[in-house]
Every structure is written in C-alpha cells, then in structure tokens.
Amino acid sequence: MAERSIRQTTDGRSVAARLPKAERRHQLLDTALAIVREEGTDRLSLGHLAERAGVSKPVAYDHFGDRSGLLIALYRWIDTERMNTFRDGLVSRNPNAAEAISELASAYIDCAVDTSGDFHAVGAALAGSDEKAVVLQELQDQAVEMFVAILAPHSDLRPPELERRSIGLVGAGDALSMAVLRGTCSRADATQTFSSLIATCI
C-alpha cells in the first residue's frame, strides 16, 4: 500500500507524493541517519523525523511506534546495510581464499572497533534497552551468515560444520576487537591473528 506525503511545488501548491510502504520506510531510515549525522541522536524524534522527511507524524508513528522503536530500527538497519554491502561487494569480485580471508578479518575488526561511527552513536542512545540485546543477537546471527557466504567457496567443510565454525569465528572476532578497545592489542595484531584463525578453521 502506498503512503502519501505532502510536498510543496515551486509555485507553492501542495502535491501528494506516494511511495510503497517499504520505500517509505527506507526513506525514513535514510532521513533518520542524516539527522544523527548532522544534528546528533538527541535530536532524533518521530516528530522531527516526520518534518525532515516531509511526511505527517502519523506516518512516522505507524512505521516505528515510538522513539525507541525508531532507534532500534535504525540500529538494525545500519549494521545490516554495511554487512550486506561488504558481503555482496566481496563475493562479486570472486577473490581467492587468501584475499577473502584477509579482507573479511580486516573489515570485521575495523567495524567493531570504530566507536566514532553511526552504529555506535545510535547504540549509545539505546544504552540499557532490553530490545538492544535482542537486536545484537540478530546482528550476530547475520554476521555468521556473512562469514558462511564469504568462506563457503573456499572451504570443503559441510555447511553445518562451516556454520558452527563461523559462530566460533564471530565470537573470536568480537573478543579480539574488545582487546583492541581495551588497549591490550593493536588493531594490526588483532587483524593478523583473526586472519590466521579464519584460515585454520576452513
């Protein structure tokens, strides 16, 4: 079902712009991310989002329910988008095993230790939220799927075994990233160690 938003033409007339619901949600999330980048998470409210996106408040509330729902949706979307972009880009280039392992290890560690990014800014705004823990588990599951998709062309393991090993690799990547954030390991050393672990697991 298409949703209607009101926009002004150059001569001041109001016209209705209609978008399918999925496209409207994508537009709203894009706008929410722009607000976070330009004004900070404190300015991210459903009312301000509706104003910036050129839709009525009920449209924004229909998609996200409340501010917490908006933050959760944005948190999930940011990480899903970057994982999908990385996975699809890497797979499309058909790298050899060494290249795939190196790029996967580097990208995973880099994303996890980037505390200045949009993902961490939105995550900080969700501190203490019970829903955040649920979403983090969903995102961890997606990370496992990404590892399987990237590593499968370079592994002779049966799919269930590769999935189990990918679960372990995601855990190892998270632990190495935490060591970098604590200052007990350099980013370069963590990436090298993670690359070695991936190579021995597939």
Side-chain angles (χ1 to χ4, degrees):
M1 180 177 179
E3 293 178 351
R4 182 185 298 270
S5 63
I6 304 301
R7 299 189 182 280
Q8 295 294 122
T9 62
T10 54
D11 61 2
R13 291 181 296 109
S14 294
V15 295
R18 301 179 71 87
L19 288 176
K21 192 163 187 175
E23 289 184 27
R24 177 67 70 202
R25 184 179 179 86
H26 193 284
Q27 179 221 6
L28 290 171
L29 289 169
D30 265 337
T31 304
L33 183 56
I35 292 171
V36 169
R37 288 174 174 172
E38 296 167 13
E39 306 176 57
T41 54
D42 288 345
R43 286 283 289 150
L44 185 59
S45 67
L46 288 172
H48 188 43
L49 172 62
E51 181 182 355
R52 283 280 302 262
V55 301
S56 64
K57 286 185 181 180
V59 169
Y61 278 90
D62 179 58
H63 278 277
F64 305 111
D66 55 22
R67 183 174 186 270
S68 178
L70 170 59
L71 286 167
I72 285 291
L74 185 58
Y75 191 66
R76 178 187 288 116
W77 183 68
I78 290 170
D79 204 54
T80 299
E81 286 288 299
R82 68 183 183 180
M83 276 198 286
N84 288 345
T85 298
F86 172 75
R87 181 198 62 209
D88 295 345
L90 184 59
V91 171
S92 68
R93 288 190 282 110
N94 193 28
N96 61 38
E99 291 169 340
I101 290 168
S102 177
E103 291 190 41
L104 178 59
S106 179
Y108 196 83
I109 297 294
D110 286 348
C111 284
V113 302
D114 179 16
T115 57
S116 64
D118 304 316
F119 182 70
H120 285 277
V122 176
L126 283 165
S129 167
D130 291 337
E131 292 173 288
K132 181 180 177 181
V134 174
V135 174
L136 282 172
Q137 182 58 57
E138 290 179 16
L139 297 180
Q140 188 174 55
D141 292 342
Q142 289 181 17
V144 170
E145 293 174 6
M146 177 183 70
F147 271 64
V148 170
I150 291 172
L151 298 175
H154 311 290
S155 175
D156 294 327
L157 295 170
R158 293 171 59 84
E161 179 62 21
L162 180 58
E163 181 177 0
R164 287 190 291 270
R165 294 193 186 195
S166 293
I167 292 171
L169 287 170
V170 168
D174 290 343
L176 285 165
S177 299
M178 287 303 300
V180 174
L181 291 172
R182 288 195 303 268
T184 58
C185 179
S186 72
R187 185 181 300 206
D189 286 344
T191 301
Q192 179 58 49
T193 298
F194 197 28
S195 294
S196 298
L197 284 172
I198 295 172
T200 58
C201 279
I202 65 170

